[in-house]
């Protein structure tokens, strides 16, 4: 058995991967570029901002990752991203920073598309509400979400209550089920 350490380049790995410094794409593989409908050369040395539906989403995600991505630790979230043709889709993003003092100095990220439709109703939520709902669906408590986002527990509770009422749902379980199962057609049929 060969015990020599094997090294791989991003282009050799079969999952969407990207290396970034200070939220600028420095290298990515073809799978990552294809996920967003770009060719690799178009993305290299460009900001991640172009891959978000809105600049607010880019800023909010950066704040959350900055606070939760200490050097060496793996952090993940789920979020809506935007392809070059305007198509929006859900992604699970995992990242690891290589700098304990500055999580954005050098980091590797893996983007995994999620088979969760981006519904019209889902688009009606604010970016913050989608962020909180994603964390709720991951099973995180109000206290854990508040700590992760740098908000008060009461603020998280109010967001959850407003979302539940706005969607005409009875409780958090229904809210999570709606979030996980909402589709373009079913959101319209349920009205």
């Amino acid at each position: 058995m060969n015990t020599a350490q094997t090294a791989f380049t991003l282009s050799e790995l079969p999952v969407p991967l990207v290396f970034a410094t200070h939220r600028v794409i420095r290298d990515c593989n073809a799978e990552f570029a294809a996920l967003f409908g770009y060719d690799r050369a178009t993305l290299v040395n460009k900001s991640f901002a172009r891959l978000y539906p809105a600049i607010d989403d880019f800023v909010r995600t950066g704040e959350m990752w900055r606070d939760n991505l200490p050097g060496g630790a793996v952090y993940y979230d789920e979020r809506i991203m935007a392809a070059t043709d305007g198509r929006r889709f859900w992604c699970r993003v995992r990242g690891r920073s290589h700098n304990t003092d500055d999580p954005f100095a050098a980091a590797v990220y893996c983007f995994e598309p999620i088979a969760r439709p981006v519904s019209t109703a889902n688009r009606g939520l604010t970016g913050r509400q989608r962020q909180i709902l994603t964390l709720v669906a991951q099973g995180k408590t109000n206290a854990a979400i508040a700590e992760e986002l740098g908000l008060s527990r009461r603020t998280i509770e109010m967001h959850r209550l407003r979302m539940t009422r706005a969607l005409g749902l009875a409780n958090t379980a229904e809210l999570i089920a709606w979030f996980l199962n909402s589709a373009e057609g079913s959101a319209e049929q349920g009205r």
Side-chain angles (χ1 to χ4, degrees):
M1 180 176 183
N2 185 355
T3 59
Q5 188 172 1
T6 304
F8 296 96
T9 63
L10 290 179
S11 64
E12 295 175 285
L13 299 171
V15 295
L17 292 168
V18 60
F19 170 74
T21 61
H22 301 287
R23 303 187 77 196
V24 173
I25 298 165
R26 298 302 180 190
D27 194 10
C28 66
N29 61 9
E31 288 80 359
F32 177 83
L35 179 62
F36 292 93
Y38 290 94
D39 63 85
R40 185 187 158 280
T42 304
L43 292 176
V44 172
N45 294 321
K46 301 292 191 266
S47 171
F48 269 111
R50 69 178 7 190
L51 305 178
Y52 285 82
I55 194 67
D56 289 347
D57 296 322
F58 172 72
V59 171
R60 189 175 24 266
T61 299
E63 291 169 351
M64 185 172 63
W65 278 65
R66 181 190 63 236
D67 296 338
N68 294 287
L69 188 63
V74 173
Y75 182 73
Y76 85 97
D77 69 20
E78 295 174 2
R79 65 180 87 138
I80 295 174
M81 301 299 290
T84 188
D85 62 3
R87 175 182 54 88
R88 294 178 181 198
F89 59 96
W90 279 97
C91 259
R92 177 174 293 116
V93 182
R94 298 176 196 276
R96 175 176 281 155
S97 174
H98 295 281
N99 184 315
T100 56
D101 298 325
D102 182 357
F104 294 127
V108 175
Y109 305 94
C110 178
F111 283 70
E112 175 188 0
I114 301 173
R116 178 186 302 149
V118 179
S119 70
T120 305
N122 213 332
R123 288 185 186 175
L125 298 175
T126 67
R128 178 65 84 189
Q129 288 172 329
R130 282 193 308 270
Q131 183 181 38
I132 290 169
L133 191 47
T134 298
L135 296 170
V136 169
Q138 291 173 6
K140 295 184 179 179
T141 65
N142 287 339
I145 294 168
E147 183 177 331
E148 188 166 324
L149 300 180
L151 301 172
S152 74
R153 196 182 103 216
R154 183 73 179 136
T155 298
I156 303 303
E157 291 169 357
M158 291 309 299
H159 274 293
R160 287 174 67 166
L161 179 63
R162 284 187 199 114
M163 286 185 284
T164 302
R165 286 182 179 166
L167 295 168
L169 304 171
N171 54 41
T172 298
E174 286 185 15
L175 181 64
I176 293 170
W178 171 85
F179 174 68
L180 296 175
N181 297 314
S182 65
E184 294 287 342
S186 65
E188 296 301 319
Q189 292 171 1
R191 291 185 182 173

